[in-house]
Amino acid sequence: MRIDLRVSYALILTAVILISYVGGLGIQALLKSEKKSAGKAVLIFSIGIIAGALLLMRFMPVGSILIPVGFSFYSLQAIGYIADVYMGKTYAEKNPVVLALFIAFPLTFISGPIQRTDGLLRQLREKLTRRSEDKSGMTGDESAGVPEAKDAERANMLRHGLFLMAWGLFLKYAVADKLNPIVDICYTDVEYRDGAILLFGVVLYAFQLYADFMGYSLIAVGAGEVLGLRLDGNFDTPYLSGSVREFWGRWHISLSKWLRDYVYFPLGGSRRGTARVVANILIVFILSGIWHGRGLTFIVWGALHGIYRVTEYLCDKAKKNSKRESASVVLTIWRVVRTFILVDFAWLFFRAESLEQALIIVKRIFTQLHFIYTLREGIYILDPSRISLLISLSGLVPLFIVDLLHKKGIGIGETFEEKVKTPIRWIIYIAYAIYMILLFVRNYGYSATNFIYANF
């Protein structure tokens, strides 16, 4: 009898939750009994099963096994929880419902951001405790002055959460989904495409992926605030970074911090000599590539970032004793452009369907690049109407402006609330709602796409 996929996915999720629950309680009990070696054995066994399942799914032949939806994300949350119990950063959760909600939190289940025990789990526990206290009846002086402060905080969180969700929806439907068909054309029949078209597609994919993934993260974080939960964010103007190291402090922040805390630091971090640091960096980024997907393209993508970081580390080490001068505007811009070129080159392998396709694209970009001809005659390949093409690209303008302002420390949401008068704000709200409804209606049924990171 064939088991329905949804049932098998539910069974795998349940198994991960049970392993985490039993493993956490077992580790805590053994550590309290001063049986550290036994606790470490349980730690290795529990994490080994979950991590082993993830690696198995990555290295099985394509088509032989379907990876459960969200497994890449909730498996890391489970591993992080078990490790935190062992390191004493949190206590083992006795309520299986609370732990299950943390590991399989609906808003972050599919594509993150990856949550930590000192964030989401702590808040879930606090809400459960508060609900129990409310049921027991907190009255009199205990509650004096608290409701007003809580109401104001909840109102701010609600307003900010809705703003994040609105911006996330715009990024997804007005930017990412508009770029999707153009990028798909550029990555189809690559052996016949001009290098300029391919280069255009490679650059656009960087922004499509950014808008798509950040859009999902903002919707998840915003919805969390609407529910009264503060979730860890995932992005902080990554394409305005001046180095690859800075980029990884701003891109997929929850994964970067997870790999740092649970892989890089346990391997020794930066404390055991240059050769060990280089090895640790390469291991972390290759594991990141494997985590993202199956195939050589993801390993090459991870390895490229590892090489970038190792090169930066060695250069910084060589310049450690040299006098540092303040960077000029031109130098700052060059560093941002250079970092984007390196990151975007790696994205080529991330997006390509195979290593062979990626190498063909690289070859044609360097040998068949005809900018003027493509701009004059070949642009119809992407869209018969140049006006329509410009409209599809227009969403990049507000994305760039918002990121630039955010980089300068200007929060759009806060500034909008403080500087814009209420009647004008409501006119903008209504105009936005009408625009999004028209966009949904126009795109219904043929151009909407799933979130890209849901595939990982």
Side-chain angles (χ1 to χ4, degrees):
M1 183 177 68
R2 189 172 181 178
I3 300 177
D4 186 89
L5 279 178
R6 289 171 294 183
V7 175
S8 62
Y9 290 174
L11 290 174
I12 291 172
L13 174 59
T14 302
V16 170
I17 293 171
L18 286 175
I19 292 170
S20 304
Y21 181 71
V22 175
L25 291 175
I27 290 170
Q28 182 170 271
L30 289 168
L31 292 180
K32 283 185 176 180
S33 302
E34 298 185 355
K35 298 178 180 179
K36 190 171 182 180
S37 58
K40 190 172 185 178
V42 175
L43 168 77
I44 294 172
F45 179 76
S46 302
I47 291 179
I49 294 177
I50 300 173
L54 180 58
L55 290 173
L56 179 65
M57 292 176 185
R58 290 306 188 209
F59 285 106
M60 290 288 285
V62 177
S64 62
I65 187 171
L66 291 176
I67 299 177
V69 175
F71 183 75
S72 297
F73 289 91
Y74 67 71
S75 62
L76 294 193
Q77 286 194 193
I79 291 172
Y81 163 76
I82 297 170
D84 282 355
V85 172
Y86 178 79
M87 292 185 289
K89 292 182 178 180
T90 187
Y91 60 85
E93 180 54 56
K94 295 181 180 180
N95 189 332
V97 176
V98 172
L99 183 60
L101 186 58
F102 166 71
I103 293 175
F105 191 64
L107 298 178
T108 61
F109 180 80
I110 297 177
S111 298
I114 300 164
Q115 301 301 305
R116 306 288 285 271
T117 57
D118 60 350
L120 178 60
L121 182 58
R122 175 183 54 77
Q123 292 179 80
L124 293 175
R125 286 167 169 167
E126 288 175 355
K127 285 189 174 294
L128 181 65
T129 303
R130 192 179 301 124
R131 180 170 295 180
S132 300
E133 290 175 350
D134 291 343
K135 285 183 178 180
S136 65
M138 189 179 84
T139 58
D141 295 336
E142 287 179 292
S143 61
V146 174
E148 292 78 4
K150 285 185 177 180
D151 289 345
E153 181 183 0
R154 284 293 296 120
N156 289 331
M157 288 184 68
L158 179 62
R159 184 164 50 248
H160 188 251
L162 291 173
F163 187 88
L164 291 179
M165 293 175 68
W167 179 233
L169 285 171
F170 176 85
L171 292 178
K172 169 59 178 172
Y173 290 104
V175 182
D177 281 0
K178 286 290 186 180
L179 298 179
N180 179 65
I182 302 174
V183 172
D184 282 349
I185 290 172
C186 294
Y187 275 87
T188 304
D189 298 327
V190 296
E191 52 276 335
Y192 306 111
R193 300 286 184 216
D194 185 85
I197 290 290
L198 295 174
L199 180 59
F200 188 59
V202 170
V203 172
L204 284 188
Y205 177 69
F207 293 101
Q208 180 203 356
L209 180 63
Y210 178 38
D212 189 281
F213 193 17
M214 183 166 67
Y216 180 92
S217 297
L218 288 174
I219 293 170
V221 173
E225 292 197 14
V226 170
L227 296 175
L229 296 168
R230 297 189 184 278
L231 304 182
D232 294 331
N234 237 0
F235 294 93
D236 183 12
T237 63
Y239 289 149
L240 297 178
S241 302
S243 67
V244 175
R245 177 180 182 177
E246 184 184 350
F247 172 81
W248 278 106
R250 296 175 176 275
W251 173 277
H252 205 170
I253 299 171
S254 62
L255 176 63
S256 300
K257 288 183 176 180
W258 194 97
L259 290 170
R260 179 197 66 191
D261 294 343
Y262 300 112
V263 179
Y264 184 69
F265 286 163
L267 287 173
S270 304
R271 303 187 304 272
R272 299 188 180 180
T274 301
R276 185 64 177 271
V277 172
V278 168
N280 291 345
I281 291 173
L282 291 174
I283 289 171
V284 166
F285 279 103
I286 289 174
L287 284 177
S288 176
I290 294 171
W291 178 85
H292 276 87
R294 285 184 273 183
L296 285 175
T297 53
F298 290 100
I299 294 177
V300 170
W301 171 79
L304 281 171
H305 276 279
I307 293 170
Y308 297 159
R309 281 290 296 115
V310 166
T311 304
E312 287 184 351
Y313 169 76
L314 294 176
C315 289
D316 290 343
K317 189 177 179 65
K319 296 176 181 178
K320 190 174 182 180
N321 297 323
S322 63
K323 185 179 180 180
R324 299 198 175 195
E325 299 180 357
S326 57
S328 64
V329 175
V330 174
L331 183 58
T332 299
I333 294 174
W334 160 242
R335 286 173 177 169
V336 170
V337 172
R338 178 190 61 190
T339 302
F340 178 80
I341 291 173
L342 292 173
V343 170
D344 196 33
F345 178 73
W347 283 141
L348 189 160
F349 293 89
F350 193 88
R351 172 62 175 78
E353 296 176 2
S354 65
L355 187 58
E356 180 184 8
Q357 186 193 58
L359 294 176
I360 291 173
I361 293 173
V362 173
K363 180 181 178 181
R364 293 192 69 83
I365 287 176
F366 281 99
T367 61
Q368 302 290 329
L369 198 64
H370 304 105
F371 270 118
I372 303 301
Y373 171 79
T374 300
L375 189 63
R376 188 177 66 248
E377 304 292 342
I379 206 72
Y380 73 90
I381 295 172
L382 303 177
D383 199 310
S385 168
R386 298 194 181 194
I387 298 298
S388 178
L389 178 61
L390 289 174
I391 292 174
S392 297
L393 300 178
S394 63
L396 294 173
V397 176
L399 172 60
F400 176 76
I401 292 173
V402 170
D403 270 15
L404 193 61
L405 292 174
H406 185 67
K407 179 77 171 180
K408 292 181 176 294
I410 301 174
I412 298 298
E414 295 78 3
T415 303
F416 186 71
E417 288 289 335
E418 293 173 2
K419 304 294 185 182
V420 181
K421 294 182 179 180
T422 302
I424 298 177
R425 284 209 311 270
W426 277 103
I427 291 174
I428 295 174
Y429 292 152
I430 294 170
Y432 169 83
I434 294 173
Y435 171 76
M436 294 303 295
I437 291 171
L438 291 175
L439 193 63
F440 293 150
V441 171
R442 184 178 183 275
N443 295 341
Y444 179 76
Y446 64 88
S447 66
T449 60
N450 292 327
F451 287 98
I452 295 174
Y453 257 71
N455 299 320
F456 304 137

